[in-house]
Amino acid sequence: MSKRDKQTADLEFVAGNGLIHRRMFLTQGAAMAGSLGLLSATPSHAEPLEIPPWMKAPGSHMSAYGQRSRYEDSVQRVVGGTPGVVGSGVSFTPIEKLHGTITPNSLHFERHHSGVPDIDPDGHQLLLHGLVDRPLVFSMDALMRYPTVTRIQFLECSGNSGTNLGPQAQQAPAGVLHGLMSCSEWTGVPLSILLEEAGVRRGANWVLAEGADAAGMSRSIPLEKMMDDAIIALYQNGERLRPENGYPMRLFLPGYEGNMSVKWLRRLKVNREPTMTRDETSHYTDVMLGGKALILTFPMGVKSLITSPSTGLNLTEPGRYEITGIAWSGAGKIARVEVSADGGNTWAEAALTEPVLSKSFTRFRMAWQWDGGPAVLMSRAIDESGSVQPTREALTREFGERRNYHNNGIQVWSVAARTGEVTNVYA
Ligand SMILES: Nc1nc2c(c(=O)[nH]1)N[C@H]1C(S)=C(S)[C@@H](COP(=O)(O)O)O[C@H]1N2
Ligand SMILES: [Mo]
């Protein structure tokens, strides 16, 4: 038996078509991954390396604001517009080119209904009024003096993965199919503090939030959510929000559909009822079977996605690979992620990268022996509330074909025999 065959014989296969037990990542970790042949360094005879040009003279000077390496310039958001609507469109986070769980600010997805306003923080104010004892106006300086909380949480547009609701599976990078989502460390002032200061009156149940963009985008938020974990976000991954993500302040509602996290926040009005704004009636509602519409659907469902392999990240040769991706849920923590390499006939539990946080991205990993044959890769997330990520077919049966939002269906990647080409398929 060759060394390689011996190693294959030692692998602990746990599900069909080559999935290997996650113990490989959990116990001896990297050392074991090495011995299993997941690593692919070139054998060396220990000859000295050549001196490269960049070691022969000092490098460039310090810089006041950092840039990534020019060799990474191809990692970009993919920008798309809405034809005929000035300032409206999206840009997608290239999730298949990122790792870990934090989205760099420059690559955070964007969704604007009327462009990015250029707001001078000294000219910006936030009004809190409606069913309160004391209406309040906050200048930027005033708001900055309140206590803050910091949490790592995802933001996902409810239109994310909408392409996969269409009749035919489209071929596009994972980021274009599913990149209307990102995860950041958000720091901001809890809404509960401001609402308590204003004194919410009896009978109040909802809060209208309005943005300072030309769209004046506005949504109604249950008072309960505002008193629970809603914040006015001021910082994103340690620095002040980017203009495209709501500078100088945005509402941030952990786990809720992205649209409700109103950017460039200027007004909060405490109400008895939801306002039924344009953005919550004509948009962000789903036409169901039988023609009724589902509206005011807030938490994002439990979801996961294999980011590698995925469209464009083809396999090169038979051998061992790491299948990796992200899982998240608007209901809390991810409890488990399962992976299948045989189109859902058999499943194995993936390793989760710590820390596993509530309403945040969780990275999962699975070791896989690809034998060069056809494979159908899927991931399925289960959250701490016990919710299981559904298949696309189950969602279609439940909600019909006319939905535009809230697609948390399982993504299926087909790996072609021999060529290793990865395509998006509906199983
Ligand atoms: N004022 C305002 N807030 C807004 C929007 C907008 O166009 N205007 N877009 C919403 C939508 S649909 C989403 S998904 C998120 C996107 O946030 P991001 O651009 O920071 O990723 O912001 C929401 N808040
Ligand atoms: Mo959105």
Side-chain angles (χ1 to χ4, degrees):
M1 217 190 241
S2 76
K3 195 170 168 231
R4 206 150 234 249
D5 292 344
K6 167 84 173 62
Q7 283 169 359
T8 304
D10 285 348
L11 294 176
E12 195 179 350
F13 291 107
V14 279
N17 211 359
L19 294 182
I20 299 163
H21 197 286
R22 71 186 191 287
R23 185 171 301 124
M24 203 188 98
F25 293 118
L26 299 179
T27 49
Q28 287 104 327
M32 200 161 169
S35 74
L36 288 173
L38 271 173
L39 312 181
S40 59
T42 319
S44 159
H45 300 291
E47 288 135 9
L49 296 172
E50 273 173 38
I51 304 293
W54 45 84
M55 287 184 74
K56 293 179 182 164
S60 53
H61 197 60
M62 275 47 82
S63 60
Y65 197 83
Q67 297 290 323
R68 65 183 167 178
S69 161
R70 61 194 169 101
Y71 300 102
E72 298 298 321
D73 276 353
S74 68
V75 181
Q76 303 267 352
R77 291 191 282 226
V78 176
V79 179
T82 312
V85 188
V86 180
S88 179
V90 291
S91 72
F92 299 90
T93 296
I95 48 178
E96 74 284 1
K97 292 177 179 156
L98 303 179
H99 223 296
T101 53
I102 300 288
T103 311
N105 292 345
S106 303
L107 294 172
H108 194 287
F109 86 94
E110 301 162 275
R111 170 75 180 106
H112 318 308
H113 290 74
S114 199
V116 180
D118 178 21
I119 299 180
D120 174 352
D122 293 336
H124 184 80
Q125 292 181 311
L126 170 67
L127 171 66
L128 171 51
H129 68 147
L131 287 175
V132 293
D133 296 332
R134 287 169 298 279
L136 299 168
V137 176
F138 302 89
S139 68
M140 219 40 237
D141 285 345
L143 195 66
M144 296 293 279
R145 292 177 58 185
Y146 281 79
T148 58
V149 294
T150 297
R151 297 190 199 104
I152 297 173
Q153 281 158 334
F154 76 83
L155 183 72
E156 181 183 18
C157 177
S158 51
N160 194 28
S161 315
T163 304
N164 272 356
L165 293 172
Q168 254 128 42
Q170 303 292 313
Q171 301 313 320
V176 172
L177 296 172
H178 304 285
L180 293 183
M181 54 153 195
S182 296
C183 186
S184 303
E185 187 199 71
W186 300 99
T187 295
V189 180
L191 252 305
S192 57
I193 297 179
L194 306 183
L195 288 166
E196 264 154 33
E197 185 178 351
V200 175
R201 292 213 174 135
R202 279 192 49 200
N205 290 307
W206 293 81
V207 180
L208 174 78
E210 178 187 74
D213 49 345
M217 220 216 66
S218 41
R219 288 291 307 257
S220 306
I221 296 109
L223 180 63
E224 207 185 340
K225 178 68 174 176
M226 291 299 228
M227 296 302 280
D228 178 17
D229 59 358
I231 63 168
I232 295 182
L234 304 169
Y235 295 84
Q236 176 186 358
N237 293 328
E239 64 180 359
R240 294 295 300 277
L241 301 183
R242 292 285 166 102
E244 58 265 38
N245 303 117
Y247 182 87
M249 60 169 89
R250 85 177 299 165
L251 187 59
F252 185 76
L253 303 175
Y256 273 25
E257 66 178 1
N259 184 258
M260 302 174 73
S261 285
V262 173
K263 300 190 279 190
W264 315 296
L265 185 68
R266 72 188 291 264
R267 189 164 74 97
L268 293 167
K269 186 176 183 196
V270 180
N271 290 320
R272 276 176 210 285
E273 306 278 350
T275 306
M276 298 298 178
T277 68
R278 177 191 62 218
D279 302 292
E280 58 205 9
T281 53
S282 72
H283 295 101
Y284 305 99
T285 71
D286 276 307
V287 179
M288 310 275 290
L289 287 168
K292 283 196 174 177
L294 194 61
I295 101 166
L296 306 175
T297 40
F298 305 144
M300 297 305 291
V302 60
K303 191 163 168 183
S304 72
L305 164 77
I306 294 170
T307 52
S308 175
S310 61
T311 329
L313 301 180
N314 300 332
L315 307 187
T316 46
E317 56 183 339
R320 278 153 226 159
Y321 288 86
E322 181 184 87
I323 297 170
T324 186
I326 33 197
W328 65 101
S329 167
K333 289 184 188 177
I334 288 298
R336 205 161 78 240
V337 178
E338 298 166 342
V339 172
S340 176
D342 57 10
N345 290 322
T346 59
W347 297 85
E349 197 173 336
L352 304 184
T353 302
E354 295 289 339
V356 176
L357 301 171
S358 183
K359 303 173 190 174
S360 182
F361 280 0
T362 295
R363 173 69 52 181
F364 65 87
R365 298 188 295 157
M366 174 66 115
W368 180 40
Q369 170 83 24
W370 182 49
D371 63 7
V376 178
L377 302 178
M378 305 158 75
S379 67
R380 168 169 80 186
I382 297 111
D383 69 21
E384 63 180 345
S385 79
S387 294
V388 182
Q389 184 181 4
T391 60
R392 185 180 180 278
E393 292 62 43
L395 283 172
T396 307
R397 246 180 282 125
E398 192 179 347
F399 298 104
E401 304 267 358
R402 290 170 66 193
R403 301 204 309 159
N404 291 317
Y405 303 104
H406 291 277
N407 178 16
N408 66 329
I410 289 174
Q411 166 66 50
V412 188
W413 302 117
S414 163
V415 178
R418 292 186 315 280
T419 63
E421 195 193 349
V422 183
T423 48
N424 177 26
V425 294
Y426 295 164

